[in-house]
Amino acid sequence: VNELFNLNIQTTEEMDEWLKNEQIIPVDENGNPREPENSEEVALMRVGQRLYDLIFKPYTKKQWDKYPAELGPEVLSRIPVRNNHDGRYFSD
């Protein structure tokens, strides 16, 4: 995120705040939050539009030959989203 958007996020709290400002929560017809219906909504809910467009959408199309909107929510739900500088896939 720092390199992509020329930021200087240093702490997990700063990253959590950045993510919170980017995230797009799916809502029903009454404006109430609802569960995501596909992987696009999962990604938007977790990382927001900008990271979705730069990373999740093109990678998913390349990997699955489908756009995230064509995949069930469980597909992108399993990908970890980091709020720190730990480069490992699993944190255990």
Side-chain angles (χ1 to χ4, degrees):
V1 170
N2 285 341
E3 289 186 35
L4 286 172
F5 303 117
N6 195 29
L7 300 172
N8 190 29
I9 295 172
Q10 297 295 315
T11 67
T12 56
E13 293 80 16
E14 290 174 347
M15 187 62 195
D16 288 343
E17 185 63 27
W18 185 86
L19 281 169
K20 181 181 171 187
N21 290 326
E22 294 288 315
Q23 293 166 336
I24 300 169
I25 306 301
V27 295
D28 65 19
E29 61 278 353
N30 297 317
N32 298 312
R34 62 167 174 77
E35 292 296 313
E37 296 177 356
N38 57 53
S39 280
E40 178 179 55
E41 290 183 351
V42 168
L44 293 171
M45 184 175 75
R46 295 176 74 199
V47 300
Q49 190 74 53
R50 296 190 298 168
L51 282 178
Y52 170 75
D53 288 340
L54 287 170
I55 298 170
F56 285 82
K57 185 177 181 180
Y59 178 81
T60 304
K61 177 64 173 164
K62 180 180 177 180
Q63 180 70 22
W64 297 87
D65 195 27
K66 292 182 185 259
Y67 288 108
E70 300 174 89
L71 298 170
E74 66 280 356
V75 176
L76 290 187
S77 291
R78 62 188 182 164
I79 298 173
V81 175
R82 295 272 180 253
N83 65 350
N84 57 35
H85 295 283
D86 186 349
R88 297 176 294 168
Y89 189 80
F90 296 109
S91 58
D92 53 356

